[in-house]
Amino acid sequence: MVREGSPCWTQKCRGLLLGLLVILILGAVVVLSAVVLARRREPPAPLPQWKGRGSTAHLREILLGRCFSYAGLLHPELRKDCLKIWEAFEKAFISKNPCNITEEDYQPLMALAAHPIPCNKTLLWSKTNELAHQYTKVRGDLLTLEDTLLGYMADGLMWCGSPSSAEMNYQSCPHWRECANNPNSIYWKMASRIFAEAACGVVHVMLNGSISQPFGNSSIFGSVEVHHLNPKRVHLMKVWVIHNLSAQSSDSCSKSSIKELKSILEGRNIAFSCKGDHRAVQLIQCVGNPEEPACRAC
Amino acid sequence: MVILSTAMGSSEERWSLTKEVWMLLWALVLRGAAAGSAGAAEYHWSGEGTNRHLESLFLGRCYEYIFLVNPDLRDKNCSAIWEAFKSVLRKSPCSVLPSDYDLFMNLSRHSIPRDKSLFWENNYYLVSAYADNTQRLMTLSDTLYGGVADLLMWCREENGTDFDYQSCPTEKDCENNAVDSFWKRLSSQFAYDSSGVIHVMLNGSEPTGAYPVKGFFADYEIPNFQKDKVTRFEIWVMHDIGGPYLESCGEGSMKILENRLKNMEYKYECINNYRSVKFLQCLDHTAHSDCVFSSAAESTQQRFLSLFGRKWDPILLVILFVSLASGIHL
């Protein structure tokens, strides 16, 4: 304790004390800043390594561009807000464990982006990706999921996040074999379910007659869509079994897996009809193979 | 103007409220009139205005192209390409020249696969369906530089520096408009960079002629092909299903095209109703007689046999089928 009048209470002493105090404070500030900076410069926790391809580069710009193309240019009557749609899309998986995604995560997005399609226009498909979409692109009388906003926006893209980051994981994403509840698989499962539930009237499906099991529960069609058609709205399913042009098409509709599809539908009170090699689809096949015998005389 | 008495407040309060309400209404009327007249002044070009969200559409297509369609181009800089495209905003809406897009072109240019180019006139939808997004052939809209602006519209305001979202000039209003100059610049480049077999799809049902003597193909593409890189021209003259069959190879404007290319010493081949494309046209007309298919040919033969009610010698059958098939062959 310093008493008034003691030798230390001179100006010189006060100056020294003040100087020491300033140095101490400065020193504390320097040490604190160094600690904070050092912490910041620490590399972020490494992202988990998955077996699947990483999130698509510039996913936001690509998805937004597709949304504005579909909902702005092609279908302005849908009155969709693409920026809100992007926000809802991102929120579904960012900073979350990519093996633990649920349909609840996508609920806000689905509510914003889903839209009804007219009756008798639904085209489902299984193992006929290229042909089904070439068909709808040219004919326009039927629509696949990829011809609706939800499918159009996400077709061919990949995305996932991780709990330790606010960024997408561009290095890798879980393959469905690593975990089934990954952002991509859940998205397509949910969008397919909604698409099937909304179908009404006559529903068409394009199946591949050139593989051993044209219908099975390993596909989204077999495991999700067929079981979510609403029998109160859908009264008939027309099946087209497509073959490679050089193959015989004789009894494609009597294949055992097609019969299985028939019994599932009839059990759900939906009528069934089947056609091997729909002419319009064969025409698309002939575009690329005009010299095939099946393409003669046209 | 005094409104009828209400339950609330003194008569003085009611009067000041009334005054405010009327002033508000009057302000709204004035604003409406101003907007109306301003709007009327802005809607003065004959074309649609700039697309809303042009930048997002442009950038989305650019990134899609360089990362998904052709990842060899992943080092292209989409924001720089957009800035170069936007530089057209420095010019007034009727003073944009093809050369104003030179920087845009330099940044987005890329090589075109040999034998894959497809040029066309008067059949955009058939051509893009056939090209199938570079799967079969490549049109200008299937390149990076054409794809970013395909089916879009843009121009600058007359008295301003922003895009005009109300209307844009077309060739009816003035020649040097942003959109036409863009496609002129790109058409020249696409032709210049094409090599091998040059495919051209023309419309033989078009009343003004299958080969427009004044058009993008005639004025901006033919003059820019490189003679030492082109092996030959292959022209397909397509007729609409059911016609009219106005021009075919060697007729009318097609003769003009043939002479022009041959005078330039190019090898020239012309095919009427190229089968591959015909199948695509038939997709929308599966029942039409122009689209007779092999299964239908068989049923015709069967009907012919049943008419005569007896078994036929196999050799006679073959002769019959051959003559039938050659008769229906297009």
Side-chain angles (χ1 to χ4, degrees), chain A residues 122-126 143 195 203-206 221 225 229 237:
Chain A
T122 302
L123 175 64
L124 303 172
W125 57 273
S126 184
L143 299 167
F195 187 61
V203 171
H204 290 82
V205 63
M206 202 184 287
F221 171 65
E225 289 167 336
L229 294 170
M237 171 168 275

Side-chain angles (χ1 to χ4, degrees), chain B residues 115-131:
Chain B
D115 300 327
K116 287 280 194 177
S117 300
L118 175 59
F119 295 82
W120 57 275
E121 284 284 5
N122 292 318
N123 46 25
Y124 174 79
Y125 289 106
L126 181 59
V127 154
S128 49
Y130 186 73

Side-chain angles (χ1 to χ4, degrees), chain A residues 135 139 240 277-285, chain B residues 283 286:
Chain A
Y135 179 93
R139 285 274 297 215
W240 297 338
D277 296 313
H278 186 61
R279 184 185 291 188
V281 180
Q282 273 190 320
L283 283 168
I284 303 174
Q285 292 175 296
Chain B
L283 207 59
T286 50

